[in-house]
Amino acid sequence: MFMAFLDGEFAWPDVYYERRMVFYFDILGWQAHIVEAKENPQRIAALAGVLRLFSPPVFSGVERAEGVYMSTFSDCVVVSLPYCSDQLISSLEGFAAVLLGAAYLGFLVRGAATIGNLFHDGKIVFGPALNRAYELES
């Protein structure tokens, strides 16, 4: 992304929201899981593994979709993809399957799914759809 310095101010190129399906969640008891893991590489791998469950290649039903992005910060995860009514059911089913997989591994998840305006490029994510998902999750 190019930024210019014009007339003493930074000029950013225009960015637009997209209508996207948004899956936002966090893992319950994450802090306790980290404390329990200590320096044990197998337990640390389990922590990383549960977050990888939500990555696009694993997230069943959406790996074939263009423009699927995932952003994480600690145990907070946002997965989004362009909204397509034909993929809504398979995306929700994939999300549910991954939630069950996380529970099977001993990680309970709380989250929300929304559809709405979002900017998500894989590194940066924000917009009204994420705000709404955050509100629902809370």
Side-chain angles (χ1 to χ4, degrees):
M1 183 172 274
F2 178 75
M3 177 183 62
F5 191 73
L6 302 171
D7 297 327
E9 294 186 23
F10 288 106
W12 298 93
D14 291 342
V15 174
Y16 300 93
Y17 288 133
E18 294 178 74
R19 188 158 175 81
R20 298 180 69 83
M21 289 185 273
V22 180
F23 300 92
Y24 171 80
F25 61 91
D26 65 19
I27 298 170
L28 299 175
W30 187 250
Q31 188 174 12
H33 286 293
I34 290 174
V35 169
E36 290 170 10
K38 298 182 181 170
E39 297 294 322
N40 183 315
Q42 292 172 333
R43 287 188 170 192
I44 295 168
L47 296 173
V50 73
L51 293 174
R52 286 190 182 110
L53 284 176
F54 294 92
S55 65
V58 177
F59 199 71
S60 177
V62 300
E63 66 271 8
R64 295 174 302 278
E66 295 280 330
V68 177
Y69 296 117
M70 176 180 156
S71 297
T72 65
F73 176 75
S74 187
D75 70 323
C76 296
V77 179
V78 179
V79 177
S80 77
L81 61 151
Y83 174 70
C84 176
S85 61
D86 295 342
Q87 294 178 338
L88 181 61
I89 298 301
S90 65
S91 297
L92 289 170
E93 288 172 345
F95 188 58
V98 173
L99 293 177
L100 288 172
Y104 179 77
L105 295 173
F107 297 94
L108 299 179
V109 176
R110 177 178 62 198
T114 61
I115 297 169
N117 288 335
L118 188 77
F119 176 80
H120 197 179
D121 68 1
K123 297 176 186 170
I124 299 168
V125 59
F126 63 89
L130 180 56
N131 288 354
R132 182 64 180 137
Y134 176 80
E135 290 168 1
L136 291 171
E137 185 271 342
S138 297

